[in-house]
Amino acid sequence: MTYKNFTLDIDADGAALVTWDMPGKSMNVFTLEVMDEIEAILAAVVTDEKVKGVVFASGKSAFSGGADLTMIEGMFSMLEEAKAADPTAAAQKLFDAAGRMSGLWRKIETCGKPWVAAINGTCMGGATELAMSCHARVASNAKSVKIALPEVKVGIFPGAGGTQRLPRLINTQDALQIMTTGSDLTASRAKALGLVNEVVDPDKLIEAAKTLIKNGVDPVAPWDKKGFKAPGGTIWSPQGVQLFSAANAILRRETHMNYPGAEAIVKCVYEGLQLPFDLALKVELRYFTQILNNVSARSMVRSLFVSMQELGKGARRPAGVPATTFSKIGVVGAGFMGASIAYVTARAGIPVVLIDRDQTAADKGKAHSEELIKGAIAKGKSTKEEGEKLLSLITATSDYSQIADADLVIEAVFEDRTVKKAVIEQVEAVLPESSIFASNTSTLPITGLAENSKRPDQFIGVHFFSPVEKMLLVEVILGEKTGDKALAAALDYVAAIRKTPIVVNDTRGFYVNRCVFRYINEAYDMLIEGVPAVMIENIAKAAGMPVGPLSLNDEVAVDLSQKIMKASIADLGEASVKPEHMTLIDKMVNDLDRRGRKNGRGFYDYPAKPAKKSLWPGLKDFYPQKKAEEVDVKTIKDRLLATIALEAARTMEEGVVTDPREADVGSILGFGFAPYTGGTLSYIDGMGVKAFVALCEKLAASYGDHFKPTLLLLDMAAKGESFYSRFNPKAVKAAA
Ligand code: NAD
């Protein structure tokens, strides 16, 4: 029999080599078709007397990326439709569909013949679960081997036996840690833990797996034998009791119980280890079905996997524009941002010319890359040769003629219209007509800057976030005259440096900063009401934000807030900024010189390391303080998240953001908006627009008109719409 995704070769010793190599895909993933074929292969090898055992290998450079999460997303949709007709039958259908993989892996495990997984590269999620249901695992010692159960990162958990086999193979504490963090294991770490039996050179992998079969791998899993004991001991041993008390405390500290997937892992392990294996699998599957029914899981899978992948692959790229290949990129302005932009560009293998006003300033910019490389080598993340190669790609200069053949130039000079105008003119004097000019401005409208350009259709905003090396998001800003060629080139560039783009129409603050300043402004309101700063910060984190709003304000600089507020007043009038906010920030900056982390004093104090930052006690004297019991924690959470989500809804209403996927992904990657919600608009959709409107009305009554729901939201609530139904990105594409 032939298979579409697999080949099957049986050697003279009876070892059946199953090689997984999906046609037309760069990565093997589990689809329904793949599972059907594995089932057919299983039946074939079990009945074939010649076969003594099976080696399960990959024909690609990676082993497998795990389940195709679009399949899981499909399951969510199926559930929604089925629920409407018969909720009980829908739950059963979901239980059966979700259990397909778990059941199949169990069949492999109990088929009577030994299976050995040969792990040659990345092995994720469902693939690690499959490998664990094999009777032994051999991994190559190649650097590319990463073994993980990363499901928790997208809101779900290893529901195909992962939570049961891992703590039966390795000690319980490590198993919990691996699954609740979703972290990668190298081959040697996996071996040390007992997850992998052997680690060998890449070219010896298949041979080693076959040798294991020849030498007689036991075809019965240890947990299917009488008297099996988990390596970490029983739940009710003194060490077990200690472990689970600590595990629950850590889970609470790390997740604030916002992530049902992480919680389910601890429950599955705790309950499962007390049960016979098949029953334990059933318990796991019940929890898995419950999680798939959870709105948080659905939103996380959509935003953190499906949408992120779609945007990364150019969902917003205009069709028909040929792909841009970058043979040289110019970066003008070698300061804080420009130096980092040059680094990430060279890291992607693209030659960069880094220009500043004089050679010394340009060299200083390149020195930033040297520092980063030194750090990476010291941590073992890079080699001397890789570092030298990267540095050789960066030319630091003050000579504009060096960008005469650049395909793209990104300016990151001072945030000053006059300086930018001069730079645009200087660059365009040498730049070929076909090349693209991009500005990294964070506040100046692209349409206005493009007025200085001879080719406004080839002028675009490419807005990076700091620290550029770490932040995965880039906002691509369209000016009024920006054309498709510039958009395509900007998106090709963002893809080349392996970041995720969102495409935003020109507006003050674009998308991310508009939302961020709402978050910070709400904290100003709370301070003024007398909510203790420590409560604002801690409750923000409990609501799922990575940093509190005051801490964030210190990072972006308090005087930058002051500058932005003054600019708003100048451009939009006095009413655009609350006078109490201006008074607070003027006092911080003008009277107290508390500008944020950069001068070691802001809402926090920043003592010399190793001491940690702490909230500045003087803040307490600004406003009469409320007692902790007078502050309603739920209301603080609601205010902080709702004010941001409402701003995101406004950007959709104004047509600044046009695709809900971009609002969601942009909010998570740009400022860490409570990831368990799936992002700003999924937060609204998740509770339902009607409920969100009711929440906003309630908040507006007590905390001000800025919470009043917008016309769009009222309309959507009346019609029973969601952002993903009204602005369905896939329907738009299909109609186009
Ligand atoms: P910076 O002051 O650190 O760097 C600006 C650099 O531009 C300096 O090295 C300066 O010498 C150089 N420069 C000035 N005039 C020049 C000219 N005529 N020719 C060549 N070089 C010139 O500023 P930064 O923080 O890197 O900001 C740069 C741009 O990036 C601004 O538009 C800013 O709004 C934007 N931005 C900043 C951040 C941030 O977090 N700092 C984030 C996103 C975007």
Side-chain angles (χ1 to χ4, degrees):
M1 186 171 167
T2 56
Y3 305 93
K4 214 166 137 192
N5 301 288
F6 296 90
T7 53
L8 175 59
D9 294 303
I10 302 166
D11 71 10
D13 296 323
L17 176 62
V18 175
T19 307
W20 186 10
D21 195 353
M22 294 174 83
K25 287 215 174 228
S26 56
M27 176 72 92
N28 290 326
V29 287
F30 295 108
T31 59
L32 291 176
E33 184 185 75
V34 164
M35 287 196 284
D36 287 343
E37 292 196 350
I38 293 178
E39 189 132 34
I41 289 169
L42 176 64
V45 295
V46 166
T47 48
D48 187 337
E49 282 183 6
K50 288 196 298 301
V51 175
K52 303 276 177 293
V54 177
V55 172
F56 192 93
S58 161
K60 303 205 185 284
S61 58
F63 184 70
S64 160
D68 180 355
L69 285 186
T70 46
M71 176 176 84
I72 294 201
E73 214 208 7
M75 235 184 296
F76 288 132
S77 311
M78 173 200 90
L79 175 71
E80 279 316 302
E81 281 164 29
K83 250 185 190 172
D86 181 349
T88 315
Q92 183 64 47
K93 210 169 156 191
L94 182 68
F95 183 81
D96 296 341
R100 170 89 201 272
M101 196 182 261
S102 182
L104 184 51
W105 294 177
R106 184 66 177 146
K107 271 192 195 167
I108 289 176
E109 191 169 63
T110 54
C111 77
K113 290 186 180 178
W115 284 51
V116 178
I119 304 169
N120 61 322
T122 300
C123 175
M124 294 285 140
T128 303
E129 293 183 294
L130 165 65
M132 288 194 290
S133 71
C134 291
H135 304 91
R137 289 147 294 282
V138 186
S140 123
N141 58 15
K143 220 173 145 189
S144 60
V145 171
K146 280 188 223 143
I147 303 173
L149 291 164
E151 290 88 341
V152 75
K153 292 183 180 168
V154 291
I156 52 176
F157 72 88
T163 67
Q164 299 312 311
R165 290 193 179 89
L166 192 61
R168 283 171 171 82
L169 275 169
I170 71 172
N171 88 62
T172 323
Q173 185 176 347
D174 289 319
L176 283 171
Q177 205 258 340
I178 289 166
M179 289 188 285
T180 52
T181 59
S183 50
D184 294 346
L185 300 174
T186 59
S188 57
R189 175 87 182 120
K191 166 118 196 307
L193 287 169
L195 176 56
V196 155
N197 304 63
E198 271 185 35
V199 176
V200 297
D201 287 339
D203 58 344
K204 300 272 169 11
L205 189 65
I206 303 298
E207 189 187 314
K210 284 186 172 181
T211 306
L212 276 178
I213 290 180
K214 221 174 174 178
N215 294 345
V217 174
D218 191 342
V220 181
W223 39 91
D224 283 327
K225 290 185 180 163
K226 234 181 149 169
F228 169 75
K229 285 198 176 63
T234 64
I235 296 293
W236 295 107
S237 65
Q239 86 215 69
V241 171
Q242 249 175 19
L243 170 65
F244 278 92
S245 319
N248 282 327
I250 294 169
L251 182 73
R252 184 163 279 277
R253 184 190 69 198
E254 297 298 319
T255 69
H256 298 281
M257 304 317 260
N258 287 325
Y259 293 86
E263 213 178 314
I265 290 169
V266 181
K267 287 180 181 169
C268 284
V269 174
Y270 181 80
E271 293 174 33
L273 281 182
Q274 302 180 56
L275 297 170
F277 196 71
D278 283 307
L279 204 53
L281 285 181
K282 207 164 183 179
V283 167
E284 178 192 71
L285 186 53
R286 289 233 159 103
Y287 277 119
F288 194 55
T289 312
Q290 217 175 66
I291 292 297
L292 291 181
N293 253 313
N294 184 293
V295 68
S296 167
R298 178 179 186 153
S299 304
M300 281 179 81
V301 167
R302 181 172 61 198
S303 295
L304 291 165
F305 182 81
V306 181
S307 300
M308 216 179 268
Q309 210 174 53
E310 286 166 356
L311 297 178
K313 284 187 179 162
R316 292 294 310 279
R317 194 183 182 282
V321 183
T324 329
T325 41
F326 298 101
S327 53
K328 189 189 265 186
I329 285 182
V331 177
V332 185
F336 180 68
M337 294 300 283
S340 294
I341 296 170
Y343 173 78
V344 296
T345 307
R347 190 172 63 181
I350 305 171
V352 192
V353 176
L354 180 59
I355 296 185
D356 209 296
R357 289 176 292 185
D358 52 48
Q359 189 64 42
T360 316
D363 287 340
K364 194 168 158 231
K366 183 168 175 178
H368 175 66
S369 290
E370 287 161 11
E371 283 305 309
L372 290 174
I373 287 165
K374 255 193 228 160
I377 294 174
K379 283 188 195 145
K381 289 190 172 163
S382 185
T383 61
K384 198 165 160 259
E385 295 69 41
E386 284 165 350
E388 279 167 4
K389 191 167 167 226
L390 194 156
L391 282 179
S392 74
L393 291 172
I394 305 177
T395 309
T397 179
S398 58
D399 174 10
Y400 279 76
S401 70
Q402 298 240 25
I403 51 169
D405 54 351
D407 311 293
L408 167 72
V409 170
I410 303 165
E411 74 77 14
V413 298
F414 298 140
E415 189 74 337
D416 178 308
R417 281 192 180 92
T418 326
V419 176
K420 294 212 189 275
K421 177 176 189 291
V423 166
I424 294 164
E425 286 165 0
Q426 237 171 322
V427 169
E428 286 193 354
V430 294
L431 199 66
E433 287 207 352
S434 57
S435 300
I436 306 298
F437 189 103
S439 172
N440 180 45
T441 179
S442 38
T443 54
L444 304 171
I446 294 299
T447 305
L449 286 178
E451 282 166 13
N452 304 306
S453 166
K454 285 185 277 183
R455 302 184 283 271
D457 60 319
Q458 279 161 231
F459 196 102
I460 196 161
V462 171
H463 183 215
F464 283 87
F465 296 89
S466 156
V468 175
E469 298 80 20
K470 292 210 178 113
M471 294 293 285
L472 294 172
L473 184 74
V474 176
E475 263 179 323
V476 173
I477 323 289
L478 300 174
E480 256 167 35
K481 295 190 179 158
T482 304
D484 276 359
K485 187 178 163 202
L487 173 58
L491 293 178
D492 291 344
Y493 168 67
V494 177
I497 58 170
R498 287 185 285 280
K499 297 200 185 280
T500 304
I502 60 169
V503 181
V504 178
N505 287 314
D506 210 5
T507 179
R508 176 181 293 272
F510 311 131
Y511 170 66
V512 168
N513 286 345
R514 271 180 69 161
C515 293
V516 164
F517 282 106
R518 282 286 164 186
Y519 181 51
I520 292 174
N521 279 1
E522 200 56 32
Y524 295 164
D525 274 353
M526 291 172 180
L527 277 180
I528 293 164
E529 289 160 25
V531 179
V534 65
M535 291 193 79
I536 303 175
E537 294 292 271
N538 286 341
I539 296 172
K541 281 190 256 171
M545 299 299 287
V547 283
L550 302 174
S551 173
L552 184 62
N553 200 171
D554 273 2
E555 296 299 328
V556 298
V558 186
D559 56 338
L560 181 67
S561 294
Q562 186 190 42
K563 231 170 141 182
I564 291 171
M565 287 155 92
K566 283 185 175 166
S568 290
I569 292 173
D571 295 349
L572 307 172
E574 290 283 343
S576 63
V577 173
K578 279 191 183 171
E580 303 90 326
H581 289 185
M582 200 72 243
T583 310
L584 166 65
I585 297 308
D586 279 346
K587 192 166 165 183
M588 288 289 286
V589 178
N590 304 351
D591 304 350
L592 299 161
D593 193 31
R594 301 197 72 91
R595 291 165 191 269
R597 184 190 276 279
K598 65 179 183 183
N599 78 333
R601 33 198 281 130
F603 290 105
Y604 284 75
D605 280 326
Y606 298 86
K609 278 186 180 163
K612 284 189 175 160
K613 72 174 186 181
S614 57
L615 273 161
W616 175 52
L619 260 183
K620 290 194 190 108
D621 304 327
F622 276 27
Y623 309 99
Q625 296 288 287
K626 285 196 161 129
K627 292 201 188 82
E629 55 273 25
E630 290 174 287
V631 178
D632 182 53
V633 173
K634 165 92 172 51
T635 305
I636 299 283
K637 282 186 184 174
D638 284 345
R639 286 171 67 180
L640 290 171
L641 297 187
T643 194
I644 302 173
L646 194 50
E647 190 65 14
R650 287 189 195 102
T651 64
M652 290 292 289
E653 185 156 0
E654 293 164 21
V656 171
V657 178
T658 53
D659 184 328
R661 292 175 297 182
E662 294 181 308
D664 276 342
V665 170
S667 69
I668 296 177
L669 295 186
F671 53 96
F673 184 84
Y676 65 89
T677 62
T680 44
L681 298 184
S682 285
Y683 164 76
I684 301 177
D685 277 4
M687 75 172 80
V689 176
K690 213 169 167 185
F692 182 68
V693 163
L695 173 66
C696 289
E697 280 165 348
K698 194 173 119 203
L699 294 175
S702 303
Y703 303 102
D705 283 354
H706 63 289
F707 275 113
K708 273 198 171 157
T710 66
L711 286 177
L712 171 71
L713 284 165
L714 292 171
D715 185 51
M716 287 171 64
K719 291 179 179 152
E721 291 175 338
S722 67
F723 279 97
Y724 279 84
S725 66
R726 181 158 176 149
F727 299 94
N728 183 347
K730 290 176 188 164
V732 172
K733 193 151 191 180

